[in-house]
Every structure is written in C-alpha cells, then in structure tokens.
Amino acid sequence: MAKELTPQEMLRIDLSPPTQDWMDIPVEIKPGIYCYPAKPEKLEIVGMPNAHEWNPLDEDWNLPEGWKETFLEGMRERLDKHRTFKIFMDICVRCGACADKCHFFLGSGDPKNMPVVRGELIRSIYRGEFTKAGKILGRLAGGRKLTEDVLKEIWSYMFQCTECRRCSLFCPYGIDTAEITIIGRELLNLLGLNINWIQEPVANCYETGNHLGLLPHTFVQNIEFLLMDIEEYVGIKIEPSFNRKGAEILFITPSGDVFAEPGIYTLMGYLMIFEHIGLDYTWSTYACEGGNFGFFTSLEMAQRLNAKMYHEAERLGVKWILGGECGHMWRVVHQYMNTFNKPVPTMEEPVSPITGTKFENAKSLKMVHMSEFTADLIKHGKLNLDPSRNDHYKVTFHDSCNPSRGMGMFEEPRYIIKNVCNHFYEMPENTIREQTFCCGSGSGLNAGENMELRLRGGLPRANAAKYVHEKYGVNMLANVCAIDRAVLPASMEYWCPDMQVAGVSELVANALIMEGEGPRTMNLRGEEIPGMAPAEEESEGTEDV
Amino acid sequence: MGSGDKKLTELLEQKKGKIVEEWIRRIHHTYPDETANFLKEEKNEFANPIGASIQQSVWPLYDEIISGHDSDNLYKCLDYLIRVRAVQDFTPTAAVAVVSFLKDIMREELLETIEEQGLYREYLALESRIDNAVMAAFDVFMRCRERVWEVRHNDITQRPFVLSGGMCASYMLRRGKKHLEKMKCGKNPSLN
C-alpha cells in the first residue's frame, strides 16, 4: 500500500522556507518582480557596450564573451577610482543595524533584501576575487567566485533597491548601500544588462531632452492643453514663453509633470504661481527634463544627461535656474551638478526677484528648489491665499527620499502646506523626515511589469498612510517628487484606496486667489470643490398637480 | 446556544492567548528564519508592517471564527493579512493556508478536553467555520490578485510616466478631443 499522504503533502503546500546559508539559495527570477531587459537599440543610441537580446527568465542570458573579466576589470577600476566603494567593501562588520530598515525587506520578508545582504552580494565577490584571505579561504572568509548564477543574483537584487539611502542612516560606519547599488548597476551595464524602463528614458533624454521622448512641439502642445484647463477652471489666460533669450530665470521640471496624472496638476500649479507673481522666466524645450535616469545607469551617463541644464542657461542667458518638484533630479542637482558640469560664468547667485531673498544655499549651484522659492513667497506675503478651497482635503506629507535624505529639505514643503491647507496631519515619526520610507518604485523601478515588487516596496509607506487615513480621515498624500506622483497612486489603489496623491504646488494653486479670476468652483482636476458649486438654477416646468 | 456550545466557547476564550500566539508564531515561520525572528521581535507597527498586518488581523479573526456571527467582519479581518501575502513569494495555497493553521493548533490544544467533555458535535461546527474562513481567504486572495492587475492596467492607461516607442496616441486623442474646439479658436504660445 502506498504511503498515506498528510493533508499538506496532498495539496503540495510548501510552507517551509529554505534554511540554507544565503549563498546556497539560488535566485529565483519571477514575473511580477523583475523589469524587462533593455532593448539593444536603446543601449546603442548612447553607445553603451554589449547590447544584446536576452531574457531574464531564460537559462542562457547570451552574455558577451569574456563577461567575467569585463565585470571584474570594471570592479577593479571602480575600487581604485571610488574610495567610498573600496571602504564600503572593506569595513562592514555585518552588525545588522541596517537589516530591518529597507522597505523591500519590510514588504517582502526576503532576507536578501536586507541591505547588509544586498551589499554582501558584491562584497563576497570582492573578497573571493580581490582579497588574499578570500582567495585562499573562500567561503570561510565570506568570499565566493563570480559565476553566471551569482551574476543573475546580483542583477535581480540590484534592481530590487531604489537607492533611497534609508539604510545608510542607521549604519554606524556610514556605509551607503545605495552607492553599492549604483556601482553594481554600472558593472551590469558593462555587460548590456540594464532594464528597459531605465534605458529607454536615457535614450529618449539623450535624443529629445526628456524621458518621454516628447519633441519640442509636443512638449509645448502639452503645456498648451494644461493652459486651456487653467482657463476653464480658473478663468485666467496664461501665455508663458518657451526658449526665450534674456529671461531672468529658466524653469526646469521633470517631464512626468508635463504628461502624466496627477503630475500635470502640479505643473498647472507652477504656471499659476508664476503668473500670479509676474515672474520673468522661460521654459526650455531642450532642457525639458529635470529627472535623470542616467543616474541609475552610470555616473558618466548622469553627467552627460545633466549637461543640458547649464548649457541651456548659458544659451538663453538666464541668471539662475528654478527647479520643479522632483526627487532624484534634486539628488543629482544638489550633490553632483556643479562638479559634473561647471555653472557658466554669466549665471548669478540666485535672488528672488519678488522678495529680494538671496538663496545663499544655492550660491555655487545656481539652482533653487520650487518649494524653497514658494515658501519664501509665502513668508513675505506675496501669495494671496484662501486655504479653505482645500478644506475637502485632509493632507499628510510624504518626504521623498532624495529631497529629504539627499538635500535635507524638511520644513519648506510643510510650511507651504500649512499655509494653503487647513487640515494637515503628520504620519508617524519613524516614517517621515530623515526616516521616510521610499515610495517603493524609485531609481527607475517604476515600470508596470514589476508591480508585485513595487507593492511590496510600497507597503511600509502605505502602512503609515493607511494609519493616518483611518485615524484622522487623511485623504491626500502630498509630496514634492514626480516619481512619487506617478507611483504612489498605484500603491494607494492597492493598500489604501481612498487616498489621493498631489504635488505641493497643486495645493498652492488651488488656494491661490488670482487677479481677474472667475468663480473658483472647480479645482485643477476639473472636480467641483465641495461648498463652492454655483447655486442651482430654479427648475422650470414643475407644476403643482 | 446549547450548553455544549457554551462550554466550547468558554474553553476557546480560556485558551485564546495560547492558541493565537501559536498561530502567529506559525505564520511568522512561513518566512525564512531571519525574517521570522524580526517579525516576532519588532513591536513598532510602522517598523514592522508585515508583523503588524498579522497581529492586527489574527486576534480579531479568532474572535470572529469563534462567534461566527458576521461574515462582513470575517472578510474585513482577513483582508490585511491576505493582502500582504498576495503580493509576496507565496503560491495561492500557501498564501491562504495560514488560516487553516488554526485547525491544527486547536486539535493539538483542545482535542483531549473535547473528548473528555463530549463536545465533538460542537467542535465539528467550529471546524466548519474555520474551513469557511479558509475559503473566504481565497476570495480575498483572488480579489487582491485582480486588484494587482487593475493597478497595472490603470498604470498603463491613466499614468503613462514613460512611453515606450514615443507618443501615446490614444492619450493625446482623448485630451485633444476635449480641447479641439478651443484649439481652433485659441491662440497658441509660439516657439520663440
């Protein structure tokens, strides 16, 4: 008689997770978790090496000949070039302080998403291939050799990190795992192993100036559409200039705001604020993207795509640059731009032409963040505001990783929101400011095919948002990042469906009382503002019977 | 409520702490050991959202299964627990099977007393309620999986952040249609 099966065996339910050492658990690349590989032609456009067709689900990735040497040579070069990388490889004592700080670990429960283990993926190669102890003792010294399986594991987990740097906040040695991911992705790029969601925007940005691949006339047309919406909902006709030489300020924002909802409402907000204060500024159809997916590819690519900002400032002869609400754009701008590409000598230290405020923090950079600019306008009473127009919103603020941890901007957006909304509630302390949780889809992981991964990564943020929604009735998640605006709606749809998402400038524009405006019964989304609808006309034709 | 039902309810109330804690422990151990330890140790609900989803679901779920009064509430209790597991690395059976753990634990904890006190009839009714909860968990799981697909669909159709291959014609047409008349008579800002 055959052996009797237990109920669990009968259903083949396997509820026992693997118990081996992490190095012995092979990576499993599954649909819903990985992003599609870069199209070879998109790599070729920017001259990236080893463009080839491959599929992450296949056994054979068609790796280029000599791939292992290329990878290790690339690693050697970067160990010599970046002292931080060398130190991060050497000094981690695996104390585990970072282990439970990553949103992907907290949402997936996968130990390889602990930042310490993600770092170990590369560190084990460093030990096994570059250190004497590792070469001799191998596993005993935490080292291993680079094999195809190891490469696949590195690929999978380098694209399960959003470079948000929350883990670095807790590391007693100051190890920044995001920088390990940055180098890890650079090494993968040497083998033509980028993902398309990063590579196509990079190619688009190189060819047209923006991620979307919008050509100049389309860029202008899209903004025209939004101007028509403003005319309809606000009753104001705005005619901004494009590529105007001699303007005082050049305005650059992420192209996500030009095209995608709800970012377009933020862009309508910018247009209205600038009109209200009579700012002498211009848009560029060349430097028409603040975001920089090059940063998720290699530092050289980030530098190359960033160059257009100062170039355009020089061509148009502007004094300084004002930047829209964006996340990683500000990491690149704030931490790299003026060493990547030198500001042109004709540019000046930014001074607000409306308030006279000198933005001394931007003295060298020559670029000011929209929230710094708006907070200054409010502080000087330059915006005429009616916050009650936002009374139907109970607002909380999500600190985007890069403006918060990357540039230390915490107060300005909160100051603005408190001046344009009457109902503001903070999320729990360990989920905001420096400790903010990532949206779960940054650093080029905001594709559609990896939605399960995004939802896992989005859980810690959504969990805090759900808490303020249930406790205070919060229904608006405000932020200053275009990727947040693009991805948080998806995360909220799944985890907290009654929560909407908006850029801070949209909320400002809702509250803005503009000269010559019509009756403000609609918000920028074309929705009726509760309590502001016109009185209904008396119905005709009703007769008493 | 018969006297047998009353006795069983009392027994379940009495053993609640032990049974639910064991239930939570077993759910934690559907994750690798390092994760299970973390889920157990970290008490802050915002630093440990998976652990919080388990804690917040399982205690009220136990009460709901015992009372068996409110099917809406049963679904509500199951929602956060299954919503999290529905996007993690579990097969559908492994995602919902955590509810059936309760049956094993109850047998281990209660069978002797059930036998002594002759409460089999009442106990069978309780097990049926656990079976129903497992089936309800599958409903919730499917609802969550369908939601994932809806979210993906909405992402493509409503929030085209990066466009593959250039412009999205249908999106432009939709917006263009709305403004067609205005475009005809409106003045366009010119490219200088």
Side-chain angles (χ1 to χ4, degrees), chain B residues 24-41:
Chain B
I24 290 173
R25 192 192 69 79
R26 292 194 192 182
I27 298 174
H28 287 169
H29 281 277
T30 59
Y31 296 91
D33 283 350
E34 303 92 320
T35 310
N37 291 339
F38 165 73
L39 296 179
K40 184 184 162 202
E41 297 301 328

Side-chain angles (χ1 to χ4, degrees), chain A residues 17 30 39 100 106-107 109 200 212 214 224 228-229 232 259 430 446 448 452 454 456 463 493-494, chain B residues 31 35 44-45 50 80 83 87-89 145 147 152 154-155 159 161 164-165 167 171 175 179 189:
Chain A
K30 289 182 184 172
K39 294 174 192 163
D100 54 357
L106 295 178
E200 186 152 343
L212 293 164
L214 302 176
E224 283 173 359
M228 288 175 193
D229 280 350
E232 187 177 340
F259 201 81
N430 56 342
N446 52 325
E452 279 87 336
R454 287 174 50 185
R456 292 174 189 181
N463 186 47
E493 271 178 19
Y494 187 76
Chain B
Y31 296 91
T35 310
N44 183 294
E45 64 179 296
I50 301 176
Y80 203 18
R83 187 166 292 274
V87 291
Q88 294 178 331
D89 262 341
R145 292 303 310 172
R147 191 70 178 149
R152 277 188 74 170
N154 292 344
D155 227 33
R159 298 182 288 271
F161 184 74
S164 196
M167 289 300 302
Y171 185 82
R175 288 194 64 80
H179 296 294

Side-chain angles (χ1 to χ4, degrees), chain A residues 237, chain B residues 179-188:
Chain A
K237 195 170 173 57
Chain B
H179 296 294
L180 192 62
E181 284 310 306
K182 290 182 180 178
M183 278 289 281
K184 281 176 187 165
C185 48
K187 187 187 164 204
N188 300 334

